[in-house]
């Protein structure tokens, strides 16, 4: 990922991070641009697709979809096929997804299709870039699925706006897309063969939302550790629960890391107690009696590393998975122009993201 004074994030399909997405979503002056190498890949992929689309059967390019895949579509209907695909899937219901989530999803989708395996045209990639940079955010309903595993319905609403239909948010105001594009002098766009499928087949929405959630979760975890440190000070807690030794003998990486962070935060504290090796104030007798001192801190306080440690490990794994997905090709079929073939598979499946976000 390359940046120009931190205001232009150059997408190359390989190095997009959760932090980049947060920056784009939280700062309206930050824009995206397509890397020159990605432009070359886009053009190569598109040229290969167009060359072979008339001489071999390619799912979603010259065939129907789903159970209609065995139907070959005539040349005169290929553009209509893509437009109808988008329209037929843009059937979500309910309140709109937060605009920042939709914007994040658009960035993820752009980063995916510019890798050169989606077969889209540079013109369509530039259209998506324009929508992102001018903050034209499609209205995407919260609910909707068609019995498959990607973000078909949600991405279809984004695609619908790209061809000038549906609704968008601009400056927080909900408007008809057609009117907005006319006002901004943005010409209409007609989807070319495969472009409708390339826009809606993938995991960009769940990945975009997950990217923002993971950054927010990191902030919450950081806050939880700091409030844990403050709590230890407030009760004049013992320092042995966060000691290196006690957390080394149960060496879960997350637990050890949280304990180390607590030791760092509290390194200059004068409010913690160090437990003496021998307690000379009391000794065992034949009498049962109560002593005024606490023998150990309350459960919730002395278990901070054991509680936050697993959360830290889960979050680290989630961020790793999300990071991979941000820079993955999630289409079907994939245009493998380098090896001159079309690959049909299931990279649109969202289980990888769904699993870590559920956790």
């Amino acid at each position: 990922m390359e940046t120009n004074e931190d205001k232009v994030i150059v997408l190359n399909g390989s190095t997009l991070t959760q932090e980049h997405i947060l920056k784009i979503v939280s700062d309206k002056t930050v824009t995206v641009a397509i890397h020159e190498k990605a432009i070359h890949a886009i053009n190569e992929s598109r040229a290969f697709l167009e060359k072979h689309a008339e001489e071999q059967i390619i799912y979603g390019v010259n065939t129907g979809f789903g159970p209609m895949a065995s139907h070959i579509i005539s040349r005169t209907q290929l553009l209509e096929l893509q437009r109808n695909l988008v329209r037929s899937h843009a059937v979500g219901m309910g309140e709109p997804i937060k605009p920042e989530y939709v914007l994040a999803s658009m960035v993820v989708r752009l980063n995916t299709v510019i890798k050169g395996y989606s077969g889209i045209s540079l013109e369509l990639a530039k259209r998506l870039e324009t929508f992102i940079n001018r903050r034209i955010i499609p209205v995407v309903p919260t609910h909707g699925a068609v019995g498959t595993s990607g973000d078909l319905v949600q991405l279809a609403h984004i695609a619908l706006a790209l061809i000038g239909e549906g609704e968008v948010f601009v400056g927080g105001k909900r408007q008809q897309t057609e009117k907005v594009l006319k006002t901004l002098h943005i010409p209409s766009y007609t989807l070319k063969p495969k472009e409708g499928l390339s826009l809606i087949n993938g995991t960009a929405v769940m990945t975009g939302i997950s990217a923002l959630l993971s950054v927010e979760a990191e902030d919450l975890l950081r806050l939880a550790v700091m409030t844990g440190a403050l709590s230890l000070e407030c009760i004049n807690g013992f320092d042995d629960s966060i000691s290196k030794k006690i957390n080394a003998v149960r060496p879960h990486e997350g637990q050890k890391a949280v304990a180390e962070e607590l030791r760092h935060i509290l390194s200059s504290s004068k409010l913690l107690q160090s437990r003496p090796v021998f307690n000379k104030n009391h000794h065992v007798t034949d009498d049962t009696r109560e002593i005024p001192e606490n023998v150990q801190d309350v459960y919730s306080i002395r278990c901070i590393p054991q509680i936050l440690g697993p959360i830290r490990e889960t979050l680290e794994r989630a961020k790793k998975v999300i990071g991979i997905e941000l820079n993955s090709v999630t289409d079907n079929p994939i245009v493998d122009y380098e090896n001159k073939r079309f690959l049909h598979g299931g990279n649109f499946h969202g289980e990888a993201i769904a699993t870590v976000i559920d956790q």
Side-chain angles (χ1 to χ4, degrees):
M1 187 64 53
E2 299 177 6
T3 60
N4 178 16
E5 298 180 357
D6 294 328
K7 290 297 182 181
V8 180
I9 296 177
V10 183
L11 302 175
N12 57 27
S14 301
T15 52
L16 181 64
T17 67
Q18 289 98 318
E19 288 72 24
H20 288 130
I21 292 179
L22 178 64
K23 192 164 194 174
I24 295 166
V25 166
S26 58
D27 186 347
K28 293 180 180 179
T29 66
V30 174
T31 59
V32 300
I34 303 171
H35 196 284
E36 288 182 7
K37 290 183 178 179
I39 291 175
H40 174 74
I42 292 168
N43 290 333
E44 287 287 314
S45 175
R46 186 66 202 176
F48 176 75
L49 175 70
E50 290 179 347
K51 179 181 178 181
H52 293 278
E54 291 193 5
E55 58 190 48
Q56 71 180 89
I57 304 304
I58 309 167
Y59 173 75
V61 177
N62 48 31
T63 75
F65 306 100
M68 299 294 289
S70 58
H71 290 68
I72 307 301
I73 309 301
S74 71
R75 289 193 190 95
T76 59
Q77 294 178 305
L78 295 183
L79 301 187
E80 185 181 359
L81 176 72
Q82 298 300 311
R83 183 173 64 250
N84 287 345
L85 173 69
V86 171
R87 287 174 172 172
S88 65
H89 284 72
V91 291
M93 299 179 67
E95 292 299 311
I97 294 173
K98 291 181 180 180
E100 56 263 37
Y101 288 163
V102 179
L103 180 59
S105 305
M106 294 163 71
V107 175
V108 175
R109 198 67 200 148
L110 179 59
N111 194 58
T112 291
V113 297
I114 66 171
K115 290 177 76 72
Y117 298 105
S118 302
I120 69 163
S121 64
L122 180 59
E123 186 182 1
L124 178 57
K126 286 289 187 181
R127 168 58 62 103
L128 187 49
E129 177 189 88
T130 296
F131 268 55
I132 293 168
N133 290 340
R134 302 189 77 164
R135 300 307 193 263
I136 305 170
I137 313 298
V139 174
V140 179
T142 301
H143 304 293
V146 291
T148 188
S149 47
D151 294 320
L152 285 171
V153 170
Q154 290 72 28
L155 286 171
H157 281 276
I158 294 175
L160 194 68
L162 293 175
I163 63 174
E165 300 181 19
E167 296 179 301
V168 293
F169 288 110
V170 178
K173 184 179 179 182
R174 185 171 178 171
Q175 305 176 61
Q176 290 294 320
T177 307
E178 183 180 10
K179 178 182 177 182
V180 169
L181 297 187
K182 190 174 293 185
T183 301
L184 297 176
H185 304 291
I186 297 174
S188 60
Y189 185 82
T190 300
L191 294 169
K192 301 174 180 62
K194 194 183 182 297
E195 289 192 327
L197 186 60
S198 294
L199 286 175
I200 75 171
N201 205 4
T203 65
V205 176
M206 65 179 81
T207 304
I209 294 173
S210 299
L212 293 177
L213 291 178
S214 68
V215 176
E216 292 175 1
E218 273 194 320
D219 290 339
L220 286 173
L221 180 59
R222 205 173 296 117
L223 182 61
V225 173
M226 288 190 289
T227 54
L230 180 62
S231 299
L232 270 166
E233 286 197 304
C234 286
I235 66 167
N236 297 120
F238 291 109
D239 60 6
D240 49 353
S241 68
I242 63 171
S243 69
K244 189 171 185 178
K245 182 65 175 180
I246 198 171
N247 291 284
V249 296
R250 194 195 191 205
H252 292 291
E253 292 302 321
Q255 178 179 327
K256 289 195 300 180
V258 170
E260 183 178 1
E261 192 172 351
L262 286 167
R263 290 196 301 273
H264 175 73
I265 295 171
L266 296 167
S267 59
S268 61
S269 176
K270 294 178 172 54
L271 297 176
L272 297 192
Q273 301 181 63
S274 292
R275 188 183 301 278
V277 178
F278 299 104
N279 191 330
K280 298 179 180 179
N281 297 324
H282 302 287
H283 58 276
V284 178
T285 68
D286 292 336
D287 297 322
T288 299
R289 66 192 189 282
E290 183 178 358
I291 60 175
E293 296 91 349
N294 286 328
V295 175
Q296 62 180 7
D297 296 328
V298 295
Y299 179 76
S300 57
I301 298 296
R302 70 185 135 93
C303 292
I304 293 172
Q306 290 80 7
I307 295 168
L308 297 184
I311 295 174
R312 181 189 174 106
E313 289 184 26
T314 301
L315 181 55
E316 285 177 351
R317 180 174 181 273
K319 285 203 71 176
K320 180 180 178 181
V321 171
I322 295 165
I324 292 171
E325 195 77 358
L326 288 175
N327 299 286
S328 293
V329 178
T330 56
D331 291 54
N332 180 51
I334 288 171
V335 182
D336 182 13
Y337 67 94
E338 296 151 319
N339 296 298
K340 303 186 185 309
R341 58 185 180 172
F342 298 94
L343 302 175
H344 296 74
N347 274 4
F348 53 81
H349 203 291
E351 186 69 13
I353 291 295
T355 299
V356 294
I357 288 302
D358 280 350
Q359 290 175 343

